[in-house]
Amino acid sequence: MARDKMGRALRDLRVSVTDRCNFRCGYCMPREKFGRHHKFLPNNRILSYEQIQRFIAACIPLGLNKVRITGGEPLLRRDLFELVSMVSSLGLEVALTTNGSLLADQSDKLYRAGLNRVTVSLDALDPKLHSKITDSVIPVGEVIRGIESAVSSGLNPVKVNCVVRRGLNESEVAPLVRHFRGTGVIVRFIEFMDVGSTNRWSFGQVVPTSEVLQTLSSEFDLFPMERKSPTDVASRWAHSDGSGEIGFISSVTEPFCGGCVRARLSSDGKLFTCLFSNKGYDLADRLTFSEPIQVLTAEISKIWSARSDRYSELRSPKPNSLPRVEMSYIGG
Ligand code: SAM
Ligand code: SF4
Ligand code: SF4
């Protein structure tokens, strides 16, 4: 098993299958930077499903047990269920993060292919606010339909991720909890992060978990629950009447680098050991099937063993101008 310089294992791999998206959320792909002239990766540089499967297989001897498929918007990739099936056949847990807009028509196929869990990003139920945040004409109703069909397909758990930004969608926090209470869907609130270099992050726009919790506590009777594992990123709370669970991902106010067992693979084959890296290790040429898979395992192990990342623990409240990779490229 591989351990990095802080003794952290490599358990969780996030695979970005595309850097493209049909939304333009301001905190991730602001249209002024990701407009018509933005150069996305050309198709000939995007890894095939076979190359992705090979990379994942090479990580298994190092301790990998979970893969999350993400992007950009992963459901834009043709026949994504085939990749799900290929990963599932390796005996790993397979999860998906999606904006939900294309989920309704694919959830049955994904479930049958072996998808274990899905997280849908939804920052507002209010139709006008949702289209403002996503800068898209796709109605919020499509996302809700996607969430409902994920539940009826049998995916479990289905989670909803909401990034809370000051002055934008604090008013949506309670309605989201109200809407999904009693449905089995777990809503999680995420602090706005300074990921990438285009989203004009400032500390003032971060709504700390403590504040969200205080807002919710005035309406709901919530009690804290144990984390499922010490490497879980979310703190868990539950309604006292048993009507559901809520999560908080406090990446800014309570960083969790000490338990970070996550690596990321970009859609063009670069391995990143931290969400805030500016340097990926280009392994695309090593996914050619011309050498034994053990050689690739050894290369990944070498990279992981040299890892000492803990950006969030060292973050300064002031925005900095260090170049950082975009989340839509590296995978959220
Ligand atoms: N398109 C898919 C989606 O939106 O779920 C998958 C990729 S997206 C980059 C993954 C997650 O990253 C989403 O839940 C999104 O809300 C989150 N995200 C993007 N930029 C963020 C930021 N600056 N701070 C916190 N979360 C962010
Ligand atoms: Fe697209 Fe997801 Fe980024 Fe929004 S958060 S722009 S849906 S990749
Ligand atoms: Fe992991 Fe880097 Fe995030 Fe810390 S800042 S939790 S090391 S991805």
Side-chain angles (χ1 to χ4, degrees):
M1 187 196 289
R3 296 266 177 198
D4 72 6
K5 282 199 169 5
M6 290 166 65
R8 299 168 295 188
L10 197 182
R11 296 269 181 231
D12 182 347
L13 179 69
R14 305 206 160 188
V15 178
S16 171
V17 293
T18 177
D19 61 338
R20 292 165 192 261
C21 188
N22 52 352
F23 283 180
R24 285 290 179 277
C25 308
Y27 54 69
C28 178
M29 297 179 80
R31 199 174 287 278
E32 68 267 22
K33 302 282 179 185
F34 292 87
R36 268 194 299 140
H37 301 296
H38 179 74
K39 284 199 172 56
F40 289 99
L41 290 169
N43 285 345
N44 63 3
R45 286 203 27 223
I46 302 278
L47 296 185
S48 66
Y49 291 165
E50 287 73 20
Q51 287 175 305
I52 294 173
Q53 188 192 32
R54 186 162 179 84
F55 184 91
I56 294 169
C59 292
I60 294 176
L62 304 177
L64 185 74
N65 51 30
K66 179 176 166 194
V67 171
R68 178 169 292 277
I69 299 171
T70 174
E73 177 43 46
L75 293 179
L76 287 177
R77 190 85 189 247
R78 188 184 304 221
D79 296 336
L80 191 75
F81 71 93
E82 285 180 358
L83 177 64
V84 168
S85 160
M86 288 160 79
V87 180
S88 177
S89 71
L90 297 171
L92 301 170
E93 183 180 285
V94 198
L96 173 75
T97 303
T98 169
N99 65 28
S101 61
L102 303 168
L103 185 57
D105 293 341
Q106 299 191 43
S107 64
D108 276 345
K109 256 190 196 166
L110 291 163
Y111 176 70
R112 282 199 303 270
L115 187 68
N116 299 104
R117 40 175 71 217
V118 65
T119 301
V120 180
S121 305
L122 175 60
D123 299 331
L125 286 170
D126 177 79
K128 277 200 183 125
L129 189 54
H130 183 265
S131 54
K132 180 177 171 192
I133 292 172
T134 59
D135 193 1
S136 116
V137 292
I138 300 172
V140 67
E142 274 309 292
V143 178
I144 294 169
R145 203 162 73 83
I147 296 168
E148 289 170 356
S149 50
V151 173
S152 31
S153 298
L155 287 159
N156 187 14
V158 176
K159 293 183 183 170
V160 162
N161 272 2
C162 168
V163 177
V164 191
R165 276 174 82 181
R166 188 162 314 280
L168 192 64
N169 64 337
E170 298 115 306
S171 59
E172 292 294 307
V173 164
L176 277 164
V177 170
R178 244 176 263 140
H179 183 93
F180 290 106
R181 186 175 181 182
T183 64
V185 173
I186 300 171
V187 181
R188 305 189 311 169
F189 297 101
I190 306 180
E191 290 175 348
F192 174 37
M193 289 186 282
D194 48 338
V195 65
S197 319
T198 60
N199 65 13
R200 302 189 187 179
W201 180 90
S202 69
F203 192 73
Q205 293 174 73
V206 179
V207 182
T209 287
S210 53
E211 198 177 313
V212 178
L213 196 51
Q214 202 177 8
T215 307
L216 291 176
S217 299
S218 65
E219 177 173 344
F220 307 102
D221 188 20
L222 299 169
F223 69 90
M225 295 166 78
E226 290 267 316
R227 284 184 201 235
K228 279 198 179 126
S229 101
T231 59
D232 261 6
V233 297
S235 58
R236 302 166 64 210
W237 290 70
H239 291 281
S240 59
D241 63 0
S243 59
E245 187 182 323
I246 298 166
F248 297 94
I249 304 180
S250 321
S251 345
V252 177
T253 60
E254 287 171 52
F256 34 77
C257 301
C260 180
V261 291
R262 239 160 297 128
R264 290 179 162 84
L265 180 68
S266 66
S267 49
D268 59 346
K270 294 196 177 76
L271 173 63
F272 288 84
T273 57
C274 177
L275 184 53
F276 296 89
S277 301
N278 56 12
K279 176 174 173 266
Y281 299 85
D282 194 348
L283 297 174
D285 290 346
R286 313 300 298 273
L287 298 169
T288 57
F289 300 84
S290 58
E291 55 189 13
I293 195 158
Q294 290 81 357
V295 178
L296 182 57
T297 300
E299 183 73 25
I300 299 167
S301 176
K302 197 168 113 197
I303 294 167
W304 190 260
S305 309
R307 174 187 193 239
S308 58
D309 304 292
R310 54 188 196 103
Y311 175 89
S312 288
E313 287 182 353
L314 307 173
R315 175 188 283 113
S316 141
K318 288 198 189 122
N320 66 53
S321 54
L322 295 174
R324 279 191 298 265
V325 67
E326 294 299 324
M327 199 157 176
S328 54
Y329 164 68
I330 194 180

